[in-house]
Coordinates of all heavy atoms in Angstrom, one line a residue:
D31 N -0.5 7.4 -12.8 CA 0.2 8.6 -12.6 C 1.1 8.3 -11.2 O 0.5 8.4 -10.2 CB -0.6 9.8 -12.4 CG -1.6 9.9 -13.6 OD1 -2.4 9.0 -13.7 OD2 -1.6 10.9 -14.3
E62 N 4.0 11.0 -16.2 CA 3.9 12.4 -16.3 C 3.9 13.3 -15.1 O 4.1 14.6 -15.2 CB 2.6 12.7 -17.3 CG 1.4 12.6 -16.5 CD 0.3 13.7 -16.9 OE1 0.4 14.2 -18.0 OE2 -0.7 14.0 -16.2
N63 N 3.8 12.7 -13.9 CA 3.7 13.6 -12.8 C 4.9 13.1 -11.9 O 4.9 13.4 -10.8 CB 2.5 13.4 -12.0 CG 1.2 13.9 -12.8 OD1 0.4 13.0 -13.0 ND2 1.2 15.1 -13.2
G89 N 1.4 12.0 -20.9 CA 0.1 12.7 -20.9 C 0.4 14.2 -21.2 O 1.3 14.6 -21.8
N90 N -0.6 15.0 -20.7 CA -0.5 16.4 -20.9 C 0.8 17.1 -20.1 O 1.2 18.2 -20.6 CB -1.7 17.2 -20.5 CG -2.2 16.8 -19.0 OD1 -2.2 15.8 -18.7 ND2 -2.4 17.8 -18.3
H91 N 1.3 16.4 -19.2 CA 2.6 17.0 -18.4 C 3.8 16.4 -19.1 O 4.9 16.6 -18.5 CB 2.5 16.8 -17.0 CG 1.4 17.6 -16.4 ND1 1.4 19.0 -16.3 CD2 0.2 17.1 -15.7 CE1 0.4 19.5 -15.7 NE2 -0.3 18.4 -15.3
M143 N -7.9 19.1 -22.4 CA -6.5 18.7 -22.7 C -5.9 19.4 -23.8 O -6.7 20.2 -24.5 CB -6.6 17.2 -23.1 CG -6.9 16.2 -22.0 SD -5.5 16.4 -20.8 CE -5.8 14.8 -20.0
H173 N -5.1 8.6 -21.5 CA -4.8 9.8 -20.6 C -6.0 10.8 -20.8 O -5.9 11.5 -21.7 CB -3.5 10.3 -20.7 CG -2.9 11.1 -19.6 ND1 -2.5 10.6 -18.4 CD2 -3.0 12.4 -19.4 CE1 -2.2 11.5 -17.6 NE2 -2.5 12.6 -18.2
H198 N -4.8 10.2 -15.6 CA -4.9 11.6 -15.5 C -5.7 12.0 -14.3 O -5.4 13.0 -13.7 CB -5.5 12.2 -16.7 CG -5.7 13.7 -16.6 ND1 -4.6 14.5 -16.8 CD2 -6.8 14.4 -16.6 CE1 -5.1 15.8 -16.7 NE2 -6.4 15.7 -16.6
Ligands
FE2_12 FE1 -2.4 14.4 -16.9

Side-chain angles (χ1 to χ4, degrees):
D31 311 61
E62 75 142 19
N63 306 112
N90 52 308
H91 290 295
M143 285 300 200
H173 196 78
H198 178 70

